[in-house]
Amino acid sequence: MTNHMDPVCGMHVEPETAAGSHEYQGETYYFCSAGCLAKFKADPQRYASGQARSPMSVAPPSDAEGVEYTCPMHPEIRQIGPGSCPICGMALEPVHVSADEQENPELKDMSFRFWVSAVLTVPLLVLAMAPHLTGWNPAAALGPSAAWIELALATPVVLWGGAPFFQRGWRSVVTRRLNMFTLIAIGTGVAWIYSVVAVLAPQIFPQSFKDHNGHVGLYFEAASVIITLVLLGQVLELRARSATSSAIRSLLDLAPKTARRVRDGMEEDIPLQHVEAGFVLRVRPGEKVPVDGVVTEGHSSVDESMVTGESMPVEKAVGDKVTGATVNQTGTFLMLAERVGSETLLAQVVKMVTEAQRSRAPIQKLADTVSSYFVPAVLAVSLGSFVVWAMFGPSPAMAFAVINAVAVLIIACPCALGLATPMSIMVGTGRGARAGVLIKNAEMLETFERVDTLVVDKTGTLTEGKPKLVTIKAFGGTAETEVLSIAGGLELGSSHPLATAILEGLQQREVPPANILDFESITGKGVTGMLAQDKVALGNRALMELVGAPTDEVQAAAEEIREEGQTAMFVAKNGRLIGLLGVSDPIKQTAPAAIRALQREGIRIVMITGDNQTTAKRVARELGIEEVRADVLPEGKIEAVKSLQGTGRIVAMAGDGINDAPALAQADIGVAMGTGTDVAIESAGITLIKGDLSGLVRARRLSRATMRNIRQNLFFAFLYNAAGVPIAAGVLYPFTGLLLSPMIAALAMSLSSVSVIGNSLRLRTLEL
């Protein structure tokens, strides 16, 4: 029978004895009968093999009551309510950050324990340190009662103040997940028990435990100071870790609390959560845009820096899109609400950042591997230190053996090693969000640092993606209005930028679109349909060949408009070419500088587009791109990316259309323009909210800075343990007479974790 081990309490849960189960996304999750809300997925193969269940690796059912918590180092651990991670022992954090910063119960508890322990530890330190600092020996003045006073002061500190550490240490043994609390519990427990026995029954100790006066040494002050310092470290760490959520909290704070609804000539303020799609809202100067929508009346300039990272305001007029939480500056306007609640851009940004912060970078595997061997190795070193000091140490040898073994246990802190990567990822992805760069997961952030080739689409990526109909040519006696009407009818309902240009051209020229039926979109070529009994088509040369409409006679005219930077589209009716349209799409103002910046970093730029060779080369020439592949179908883009990867290149692909989605998924890093389609954004690992390549430059800087920060954290964590453990074991004593006090070891251990978090927080001020 399979054992389902609960990661919270360590109990084994059988399906037939579980407190309950829950069906979620087609899987069964079992509840621990001890009352824990940890759940386990039934795996038929593992069930048959008799292996133990592992903690769930997906979010619990959405209808679970209470706040869900997870571990920043082990995001697969999830439970309802606060607690500690069964793997590393760290305090769990809420999965979803709220706009209102609520009191952390773990921080409150640790703070209270720290202050009480500190008050009780101070007199212990006076008793122990006064003879060394002042020459006055209060213990001698108190006589035999001094030992009992130390026992009375230290016991509440160790047994109550250190209770969370002993509980986590015991759980780590039960679940066979040894961690830093295993070492703390053993170290302080040994020091306290040793001292208690020395007070109650000093006569049982042999001479090797006694000093030259025949006294057995007491280490109550060491145990108390260690507990107090570890509590201080936990308080500082919990406070610092809360700062890593500041990016999400600052994003949530951007949303206004109310919106001003306009209805039947009346205006009223309503709570933001009551806004529905289709509501007409008024936005006045200085107010925040409530939700995503479109301007229906008025004009203004809007500060969109919260989503784009750009400080320059953007002019908005009727028909322009506005984004929730951006700030209206000068004018007043009416808007139609389109996306509300969880559908707004702000909500999607928060969701993506939250998921990225809980993901794991590949480099984390190094820390995980080291940590899995670290605690057993420290226990072995501590035991070895005890044996060596007991056999070869000076008198009292056993006292030296105990104190050095405890120092080894206390100074070794795998917590700093485990924190090195997730803290940097959390802060780095938050910083990226504030600069308009959304990272889907930590792996993307790590991989992007190694990218050496960038494949870019043209339309909507290098160009504005807002083309305008410039040229209309009619052939064979067909009127220009008929050509335009047929083209407009074929493009109705399409979201492609070229379709938008044609429809806007119809509106400007007041030409009604033809009533086209039986649409058929042919990817990478164009669209066909039926106009009454006539078959009509709009697309490129390949489509014209498919419908039997030769283009040889008009190729000179098509090439002429391409030379002017326009995209040529042919219109056919019943297998006969009747018109030619030319659409111009200007290059984005930020594209030239972004391309140059990426090229200076040694990145190879390759333009791959479905547009024709002449237009593509003209755009590439203006941008300084040397490699161009034109007339490429969507499947051709995938093959191009694969061929580059086949030569050992790490490829990033930037695009914005549905036809780019397969290539975005194939690339090592897919980069989607935030102004593009939802399909492209879903396929990408990085999304640039503003939709221009200057965001790609910022993403590159962010990736490099974050990975540099992670390496710094790992280096100092490794260095700290590599140097601290041998010194605590006493390797310097034969040469310098130096021994590391367990109290100093505890201080160093606590500060190591805080220093790693502090270094990670530097990313909040990174210039992008």
Side-chain angles (χ1 to χ4, degrees):
M1 179 61 66
T2 300
N3 289 325
H4 297 65
M5 181 176 290
D6 190 314
V8 178
C9 67
M11 290 186 60
H12 295 283
V13 183
E14 307 298 344
E16 58 270 22
T17 61
S21 63
H22 194 110
E23 292 293 328
Y24 176 59
Q25 293 185 350
E27 302 286 357
T28 301
Y29 293 85
Y30 297 103
F31 293 75
C32 172
S33 56
C36 304
L37 287 181
K39 305 172 184 68
F40 306 90
K41 184 170 66 175
D43 184 329
Q45 292 182 346
R46 297 193 68 188
Y47 185 86
S49 66
Q51 296 180 10
R53 298 270 66 74
S54 59
M56 61 180 293
S57 57
V58 298
S62 58
D63 59 354
E65 296 181 358
V67 179
E68 187 184 9
Y69 283 72
T70 186
C71 174
M73 290 201 298
H74 302 93
E76 69 273 17
I77 299 297
R78 299 209 176 186
Q79 72 175 54
I80 304 302
S84 57
C85 175
I87 299 177
C88 65
M90 288 177 55
L92 301 180
E93 299 176 346
V95 172
H96 301 291
V97 179
S98 62
D100 299 324
E101 189 169 4
Q102 300 176 348
E103 186 177 40
N104 185 335
E106 184 84 11
L107 176 59
K108 181 180 179 181
D109 178 62
M110 288 294 182
S111 298
F112 181 60
R113 291 177 188 271
F114 164 71
W115 286 112
V116 173
S117 298
V119 169
L120 295 174
T121 300
V122 168
L124 276 171
L125 274 176
V126 171
L127 286 171
M129 304 303 295
H132 304 287
L133 299 176
T134 66
W136 171 60
N137 190 347
L142 292 169
S145 62
W148 292 95
I149 292 174
E150 289 188 36
L151 173 61
L153 290 170
T155 299
V157 175
V158 175
L159 298 186
W160 175 79
F165 309 144
F166 288 105
Q167 291 167 1
R168 296 175 187 181
W170 173 249
R171 189 184 306 153
S172 72
V173 174
V174 171
T175 60
R176 297 183 292 279
R177 299 273 194 175
L178 304 184
N179 53 49
M180 65 172 286
F181 295 104
T182 315
L183 306 178
I184 293 170
I186 293 174
T188 55
V190 166
W192 182 79
I193 292 172
Y194 176 93
S195 302
V196 169
V197 175
V199 171
L200 299 178
Q203 68 278 4
I204 70 172
F205 288 87
Q207 191 61 39
S208 59
F209 284 83
K210 299 177 181 179
D211 59 20
H212 60 279
N213 294 321
H215 298 146
V216 180
L218 301 180
Y219 301 106
F220 286 122
E221 86 285 351
S224 296
V225 169
I226 289 169
I227 292 293
T228 303
L229 288 173
V230 174
L231 284 169
L232 174 61
Q234 290 290 294
V235 170
L236 295 175
E237 181 182 314
L238 288 166
R239 286 180 177 174
R241 280 165 55 187
S242 67
T244 61
S245 300
S246 62
I248 295 180
R249 194 168 286 111
S250 64
L251 288 173
L252 291 170
D253 287 340
L254 292 171
K257 305 300 180 186
T258 61
R260 192 166 188 81
R261 184 183 182 187
V262 179
R263 181 174 57 175
D264 300 329
M266 303 291 291
E267 298 186 9
E268 61 174 337
D269 289 330
I270 60 174
L272 185 65
Q273 58 267 31
H274 292 170
V275 176
E276 298 178 9
F279 280 14
V280 177
L281 308 173
R282 181 178 295 281
V283 185
R284 294 168 295 189
E287 292 183 338
K288 293 179 179 179
V289 178
V291 294
D292 298 356
V294 60
V295 177
T296 58
E297 182 182 316
H299 65 275
S300 182
S301 60
V302 177
D303 178 3
E304 296 186 331
S305 58
M306 55 77 59
V307 293
T308 66
E310 299 292 337
S311 58
M312 292 297 294
V314 180
E315 294 298 320
K316 299 292 183 179
V318 174
D320 289 337
K321 299 284 186 180
V322 287
T323 304
T326 55
V327 181
N328 182 31
Q329 293 193 325
T330 55
T332 182
F333 60 86
L334 295 181
M335 62 171 287
L336 180 69
E338 293 183 334
R339 293 188 176 188
V340 301
S342 61
E343 295 180 353
T344 64
L345 176 62
L346 179 63
Q348 295 299 316
V349 169
V350 170
K351 179 183 177 183
M352 186 175 288
V353 174
T354 302
E355 291 175 352
Q357 290 186 340
R358 301 302 179 197
S359 62
R360 292 166 66 83
I363 197 172
Q364 178 70 26
K365 294 178 182 178
L366 172 63
D368 290 344
T369 301
V370 173
S371 296
S372 65
Y373 295 102
F374 185 76
V375 175
V378 169
L379 290 171
V381 172
S382 177
L383 180 61
S385 174
F386 179 87
V387 171
V388 170
W389 278 95
M391 294 177 62
F392 306 107
S395 179
M398 294 302 293
F400 276 114
V402 170
I403 205 70
N404 283 286
V406 170
V408 170
L409 292 173
I410 297 303
I411 199 169
C413 180
C415 184
L417 194 60
L419 284 170
T421 297
M423 290 299 106
S424 296
I425 294 296
M426 290 181 73
V427 181
T429 51
R431 177 67 187 95
R434 297 204 314 271
V437 178
L438 298 185
I439 311 293
K440 180 172 285 188
N441 55 51
E443 184 178 359
M444 297 294 103
L445 194 62
E446 180 174 339
T447 304
F448 195 57
E449 181 195 33
R450 299 183 288 111
V451 165
D452 54 22
T453 303
L454 173 64
V455 173
V456 289
D457 179 43
K458 180 180 73 68
T459 304
T461 303
L462 296 174
T463 61
E464 291 286 353
K466 298 178 181 178
K468 295 181 179 180
L469 181 62
V470 177
T471 303
I472 305 173
K473 293 181 180 293
F475 307 112
T478 306
E480 288 186 359
T481 53
E482 182 182 354
V483 171
L484 190 55
S485 178
I486 291 173
L490 285 166
E491 293 289 24
L492 274 176
S494 173
S495 61
H496 194 281
L498 296 180
T500 303
I502 292 173
L503 293 173
E504 287 180 352
L506 259 74
Q507 188 176 12
Q508 292 170 0
R509 294 167 177 80
E510 298 182 350
V511 175
N515 184 25
I516 306 294
L517 302 176
D518 298 331
F519 290 95
E520 182 183 359
S521 177
I522 303 175
T523 304
K525 295 180 180 179
V527 61
T528 63
M530 296 297 297
L531 174 60
Q533 301 301 316
D534 299 320
K535 183 171 184 178
V536 292
L538 170 70
N540 57 21
R541 184 176 180 179
L543 180 64
M544 295 300 105
E545 292 176 355
L546 188 65
V547 300
T551 60
D552 296 340
E553 294 182 2
V554 298
Q555 277 304 318
E559 194 66 20
E560 182 180 338
I561 65 173
R562 288 171 186 149
E563 290 288 350
E564 297 175 1
Q566 301 176 35
T567 297
M569 292 182 289
F570 301 98
V571 183
K573 181 178 180 181
N574 293 328
R576 180 174 62 89
L577 192 70
I578 63 171
L580 177 65
L581 303 180
V583 176
S584 175
D585 188 9
I587 294 173
K588 291 180 178 178
Q589 292 183 351
T590 57
I595 292 294
R596 288 194 298 271
L598 292 168
Q599 288 173 333
R600 282 196 299 270
E601 292 198 12
I603 295 180
R604 173 183 174 188
I605 310 291
V606 182
M607 180 199 293
I608 301 180
T609 178
D611 211 338
N612 65 85
Q613 190 80 15
T614 303
T615 304
K617 282 189 173 180
R618 183 180 181 277
V619 172
R621 189 164 53 248
E622 288 189 32
L623 293 172
I625 299 175
E626 296 181 358
E627 294 185 63
V628 180
R629 303 183 191 182
D631 296 310
V632 179
L633 298 176
E635 55 269 26
K637 291 184 179 181
I638 297 178
E639 292 304 317
V641 171
K642 285 183 178 179
S643 67
L644 289 168
Q645 291 172 325
T647 62
R649 291 279 179 172
I650 307 297
V651 181
M653 164 74 187
D656 75 327
I658 293 175
N659 60 333
D660 296 321
L664 289 171
Q666 173 63 39
D668 297 284
I669 296 284
V671 182
M673 302 294 111
T675 51
T677 63
D678 291 340
V679 175
I681 292 173
E682 282 296 318
S683 303
I686 295 177
T687 300
L688 309 179
I689 295 180
K690 188 180 179 183
D692 66 59
L693 292 182
S694 61
L696 200 58
V697 179
R698 290 195 289 270
R700 176 77 165 186
R701 291 172 185 160
L702 176 66
S703 173
R704 285 187 164 180
T706 303
M707 295 311 300
R708 183 168 59 249
N709 192 270
I710 289 174
R711 294 187 185 100
Q712 290 168 353
N713 286 345
L714 289 173
F715 172 77
F716 287 117
F718 279 124
L719 180 66
Y720 164 81
N721 286 296
V725 172
I727 293 174
V731 296
L732 297 180
Y733 183 80
F735 311 104
T736 65
L738 176 66
L739 287 177
L740 188 64
S741 165
M743 294 182 286
I744 302 300
L747 179 62
M749 182 272 292
S750 298
L751 292 179
S752 66
S753 297
V754 176
S755 64
V756 164
I757 299 175
N759 187 50
S760 301
L761 290 175
R762 292 192 305 113
L763 291 172
R764 292 192 299 176
T765 58
L766 177 68
E767 287 293 332
L768 296 177

